[in-house]
């Protein structure tokens, strides 16, 4: 990360079983933060309730709730449990005052509807690894959500997503890797790592016709503005 000019990272929780390992990484490095949550694809682990999430989030390095959301691509059959779990996360976020990390795949309409019904705008957050349309981005931004782009935006065939990246204002944008998945070009197909977020920044800069430095400065400032708990560790 240091060699690539990447100064801070958020290590995102995907289930409760591995949460202690996520927290240990955040505790071990001043520039790494953690979130608390259970991914919509996780069907084997402990199901969190609001109190459980609020309890886990009560830590100085836990700066967000998630990742949560809806994923109708990977899960077959009745998906009501996903929507219930998503509501639980939004309620926990509102109780803690910490922002949400939201994953959505083939479920944009339900995701936005539940965000609205549960008043997710109160805490805001980020639509992570964004692959939806500009209209979905606009609706999320209206609810105080930032749009986060991953290595997908560097892929040659991701023309629609490149257009979305051109449209999303710099002040509402974050960049990420989604490690260990989705390594950006020139590492596509390899194991991803936080240091490679540099290549996402370079592609955003190219798309917007601005410097990589401008993208880096804006997304860093956005990170600390959104994840307020991280601001105290800025130095
Ligand atoms: Zn995700």
């Amino acid at each position: 990360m240091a060699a690539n000019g990447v100064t801070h990272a958020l290590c995102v929780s995907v289930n409760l079983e591995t949460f202690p390992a996520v927290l240990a990484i955040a505790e071990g490095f001043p520039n790494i933060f953690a979130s608390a949550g259970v991914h919509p694809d996780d069907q084997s682990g402990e199901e969190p309730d609001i109190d459980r999430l609020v309890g886990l989030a009560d830590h100085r390095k836990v700066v967000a709730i998630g990742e949560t959301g809806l994923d109708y691509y990977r899960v077959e059959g009745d998906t009501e449990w996903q929507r219930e779990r998503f509501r639980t996360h939004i309620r926990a976020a509102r109780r803690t005052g910490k922002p949400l990390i939201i994953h959505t795949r083939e479920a944009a309409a339900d995701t936005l509807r539940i965000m609205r019904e549960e008043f997710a705008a109160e805490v805001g957050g980020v639509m992570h690894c964004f692959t939806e349309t500009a209209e979905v981005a606009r609706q999320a931004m209206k609810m105080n959500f930032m749009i986060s782009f991953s290595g997908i935006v560097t892929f040659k065939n991701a023309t629609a997503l490149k257009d979305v990246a051109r449209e999303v204002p710099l002040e509402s944008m974050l960049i990420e890797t989604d490690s260990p998945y989705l390594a950006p070009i020139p590492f596509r197909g390899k194991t991803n790592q936080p240091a490679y977020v540099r290549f996402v920044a370079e592609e955003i800069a190219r798309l917007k016709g601005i410097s990589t430095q401008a993208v880096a400065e804006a997304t860093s400032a956005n990170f600390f503005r959104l994840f307020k708990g991280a601001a105290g560790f800025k130095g």
Side-chain angles (χ1 to χ4, degrees):
M1 281 172 59
N4 269 1
V6 180
T7 55
H8 295 81
L10 177 52
C11 188
V12 175
S13 167
V14 291
N15 60 46
L16 299 188
E17 289 69 30
T18 57
F19 177 77
V22 167
L23 193 60
I25 297 170
E27 284 175 333
F29 300 90
N31 58 337
I32 306 283
F33 303 92
S35 70
V38 178
H39 194 284
D41 286 348
D42 188 286
Q43 287 181 273
S44 54
E46 179 189 337
E47 187 65 37
D49 62 19
I50 297 173
D51 288 339
R52 183 86 163 100
L53 291 170
V54 170
L56 294 176
D58 186 20
H59 184 289
R60 63 196 192 100
K61 294 303 289 287
V62 176
V63 300
I65 298 293
E67 76 181 77
T68 181
L70 300 176
D71 190 328
Y72 296 165
Y73 176 76
R74 296 241 185 112
V75 179
E76 290 177 2
D78 181 16
T79 51
E80 182 55 27
W81 61 271
Q82 269 197 4
R83 291 182 287 278
E84 278 308 305
R85 181 187 287 176
F86 186 26
R87 290 181 194 278
T88 296
H89 280 75
I90 299 174
R91 289 170 194 180
R94 289 178 59 210
R95 204 189 287 173
T96 61
K98 296 185 181 186
L100 286 152
I101 298 166
I102 293 184
H103 168 115
T104 184
R105 191 167 184 194
E106 295 191 1
D110 279 2
T111 302
L112 291 167
R113 175 176 59 81
I114 290 173
M115 286 165 69
R116 247 177 245 119
E117 287 173 1
E118 298 289 338
F119 306 101
E122 194 180 293
V123 287
V126 55
M127 305 302 285
H128 110 93
C129 200
F130 194 79
T131 53
E132 303 294 332
T133 62
E135 178 54 27
V136 173
R138 279 191 287 270
Q139 292 192 42
M141 287 188 285
K142 266 188 217 156
M143 284 188 270
N144 301 322
F145 277 73
M146 293 192 189
I147 308 300
S148 180
F149 294 91
S150 68
I152 295 174
V153 80
T154 70
F155 298 171
K156 291 204 167 45
N157 58 357
T159 50
L161 190 63
K162 288 179 196 288
D163 286 342
V164 177
R166 283 189 188 94
E167 183 177 323
V168 169
L170 209 47
E171 58 270 23
S172 295
M173 187 181 280
L174 289 173
I175 50 176
E176 66 175 284
T177 57
D178 206 28
S179 306
Y181 311 107
L182 298 170
I185 288 173
F187 301 105
R188 189 169 182 181
K190 305 250 164 57
T191 301
N192 204 354
Q193 53 169 294
Y196 294 169
V197 80
R198 178 197 188 100
F199 299 96
V200 180
E202 286 176 357
E203 177 64 8
I204 298 280
R206 192 187 70 78
L207 291 168
K208 285 190 171 297
I210 57 178
S211 68
T212 303
Q213 185 62 24
V215 174
E217 282 172 12
T219 52
S220 295
N222 294 345
F223 179 91
F224 289 110
R225 200 168 76 245
L226 177 62
F227 302 113
K228 293 180 189 67
F233 300 89
K234 221 172 189 170

